[in-house]
């Protein structure tokens, strides 16, 4: 019998209304589905979070769920999830989706690559999918939800006897709190993992200039990019070989650093021809004052939602430290570093 897919939603038990209800009815026809409108814990389940948003993007019941997830780490331990956000307007669907994925990951949920299906008010975000499939916008929406449900039901984290970890950073050793914390993690990982570190700080790091699709595809098919450089010479081959990508992310103005952002943008050419669905993504985020969750959510949307890396439970370590060396003196930092390192091993090691 097919595993049960639990639909976690806001509303009365067993009841959804409107376009979302019709979409789920069509998309999940024939599947073993149960609707659930209560609160977690929901351990070791296959979950589909499904919410309708009004045009202002605010749903009190959804934010009650976010509050519960943040207050109960581990309540989704062992579960695999996906998210469907159906919006009345053209805004907020992705923002709400990535906020929910981040909270659920920190609560122990695993997500396959591309775990969000968002439907804007006029469904204009399905224009390309509908064109490619030769169907209407509504049908493209249903197909996307059905595809997500199947990925959630079928997903098993790939594991290796000796995982290959690719670490990308743009920091200076000796003055970087982020690098200090990673060094402690590396000591715990290098005996059982192959680790490749690539620094993006030195030399010219060209950002993606948005080449035409056909040009990007042409270079991607040859394993390259029009702008060449360290991305083509080092990063592309390393990404192909890696089982997991670890981003070292100091918080710059509540955003990923420019070089890391450029590297993610430049992955598009490789993504055109290479699937990332069997590669995990982790992040070590250090903020000088606050905002680490904003940076972590950018990793979720850029690499998991857009590029298709799968997201392990508790994929990120979020710390706050300002002066050089301060991170290593944070209370209980050794235990958190040990837990983060162990989580990488648990997620990737056979």
């Amino acid at each position: 019998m097919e595993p049960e897919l639990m639909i976690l939603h806001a509303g009365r038990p067993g009841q959804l209304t409107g376009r979302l209800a019709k979409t789920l009815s069509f998309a999940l026809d024939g599947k073993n589905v149960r609707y659930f409108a209560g609160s977690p814990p929901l351990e070791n389940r296959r979950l589909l979070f499904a919410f309708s948003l009004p045009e202002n993007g605010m749903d009190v019941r959804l934010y009650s769920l976010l509050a519960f997830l943040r207050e109960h780490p581990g309540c989704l331990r062992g579960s695999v999830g996906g998210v469907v956000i159906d919006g009345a307007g053209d805004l907020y669907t992705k923002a709400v989706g990535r906020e929910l994925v981040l909270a659920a990951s920190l609560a122990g949920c695993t997500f396959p690559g591309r775990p969000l299906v968002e439907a804007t008010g006029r469904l204009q975000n399905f224009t390309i999918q509908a064109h490619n499939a030769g169907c209407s916008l509504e049908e493209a929406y249903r197909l996307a939800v059905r595809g997500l449900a199947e990925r959630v039901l079928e997903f098993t984290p790939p594991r290796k006897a000796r995982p290959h970890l690719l670490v990308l950073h743009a920091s200076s050793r000796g003055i970087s709190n982020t690098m200090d914390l990673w060094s402690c993690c590396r000591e715990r990982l290098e005996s059982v993992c192959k680790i490749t570190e690539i620094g993006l700080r030195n030399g010219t790091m060209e950002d993606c200039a948005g080449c035409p699709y056909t040009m990007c595809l042409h270079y991607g098919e040859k394993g390259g990019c029009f702008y060449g450089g360290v991305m083509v010479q080092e990063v592309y081959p390393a990404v192909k070989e890696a089982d997991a990508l670890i981003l070292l992310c100091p918080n710059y103005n509540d955003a990923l650093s420019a070089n890391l952002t450029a590297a993610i943008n430049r992955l598009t050419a490789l993504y055109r021809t290479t699937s990332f669905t069997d590669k995990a993504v982790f992040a070590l985020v250090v903020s000088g004052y606050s905002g680490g969750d904003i940076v972590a959510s950018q990793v979720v949307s850029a690499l998991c939602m857009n590029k298709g890396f799968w997201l392990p439970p508790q994929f990120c370590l979020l710390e706050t430290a300002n002066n050089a060396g301060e991170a290593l003196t944070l209370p209980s930092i050794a235990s958190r570093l040990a837990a983060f390192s162990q989580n990488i091993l648990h997620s990737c090691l056979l």
Side-chain angles (χ1 to χ4, degrees):
M1 183 178 181
E2 186 177 56
E4 179 182 78
L5 181 66
M6 181 168 286
I7 312 300
L8 193 64
H9 66 100
R12 292 190 296 275
Q15 183 176 0
L16 278 174
T17 59
R19 185 174 70 180
L20 177 59
K22 294 178 181 178
T23 299
L24 291 175
S25 177
F26 278 101
L28 305 180
D29 183 44
K31 295 193 176 298
N32 182 18
V33 172
R34 180 154 69 100
Y35 288 82
F36 181 77
S39 296
L42 291 171
E43 298 184 3
N44 301 309
R45 301 274 189 168
R46 301 288 162 149
L47 304 172
L48 193 64
F49 299 89
F51 288 90
S52 295
L53 284 186
E55 195 158 358
N56 63 17
M58 302 299 293
D59 185 295
V60 173
R61 291 165 297 187
L62 188 150
Y63 281 96
S64 294
L65 172 63
L66 282 175
F68 188 94
L69 295 176
R70 291 168 179 170
E71 292 167 0
H72 298 83
C75 66
L76 299 180
R77 186 179 294 110
S79 292
V80 177
V83 177
V84 179
I85 302 293
D86 190 299
D90 291 339
L91 303 177
Y92 311 119
T93 51
K94 183 162 286 181
V96 169
R98 73 179 188 178
E99 199 170 5
L100 181 53
V101 170
L102 176 60
S105 171
L106 295 178
C109 192
T110 297
F111 290 91
R114 297 182 297 112
L116 171 67
V117 172
E118 51 167 338
T120 59
R122 295 175 298 152
L123 295 179
Q124 292 301 302
N125 59 310
F126 284 100
T127 299
I128 293 176
Q129 294 95 315
H131 174 77
N132 291 340
C135 64
S136 68
L137 297 176
E138 290 80 5
E139 288 170 322
Y141 177 23
R142 295 169 187 168
L143 289 173
V145 174
R146 187 167 188 85
L148 174 59
E150 290 171 351
R151 295 200 306 278
V152 168
L153 288 168
E154 296 169 0
F155 184 76
T156 300
R159 293 187 170 92
K160 299 292 181 64
R162 185 173 174 80
H164 182 183
L165 311 180
L166 170 61
V167 181
L168 295 183
H169 70 88
S171 301
S172 296
R173 297 184 186 277
I175 61 172
S176 168
N177 280 303
T178 313
M179 293 300 292
D180 285 347
L181 295 183
W182 164 245
S183 294
C184 294
C185 292
R186 176 164 185 148
E187 291 175 359
R188 295 175 166 89
L189 297 170
E190 56 190 357
S191 64
V192 291
C193 298
K194 177 183 177 182
I195 300 177
T196 299
E197 288 187 23
I198 300 178
L200 304 172
R201 182 179 177 84
N202 296 322
T204 300
M205 181 66 192
E206 296 279 358
D207 200 349
C208 177
C211 292
Y213 173 82
T214 53
M215 181 184 292
C216 186
L217 180 62
H218 169 74
Y219 280 96
E221 288 174 341
K222 297 178 180 298
C225 168
F226 177 79
Y227 293 97
V230 65
M231 285 298 297
V232 173
Q233 296 165 11
E234 298 184 48
V235 177
Y236 284 5
V239 169
K240 286 182 177 180
E241 294 181 7
D243 300 303
L245 173 63
I246 303 176
L247 292 183
L248 307 186
C249 309
N251 181 350
Y252 288 106
N253 301 304
D254 294 330
L256 290 165
S257 67
N259 281 356
L260 285 180
T261 298
I264 292 171
N265 292 340
R266 291 277 301 280
L267 282 178
T268 300
L270 184 63
Y271 177 62
R272 303 258 191 231
T273 58
T274 303
S275 173
F276 300 149
T277 56
D278 62 345
K279 303 177 189 298
V281 61
F282 297 90
L284 199 166
V285 182
V286 180
S287 299
Y289 300 100
S290 64
D293 56 306
I294 296 175
V295 176
S297 69
Q298 291 171 356
V299 175
V300 168
S301 58
L303 288 171
C304 178
M305 291 180 175
N306 283 288
K307 293 295 188 285
F309 288 76
W310 70 274
L311 197 72
Q314 295 154 342
F315 81 100
C316 59
L317 177 64
L318 307 176
E319 298 294 341
T320 302
N322 197 320
N323 297 323
E326 182 180 349
L328 295 177
T329 69
L330 294 172
S332 305
I333 187 61
S335 62
R336 292 196 298 280
L337 288 170
F340 181 62
S341 302
Q342 185 59 41
N343 187 50
I344 293 174
L345 291 178
H346 178 74
S347 299
C348 299
L349 189 64
L350 187 65

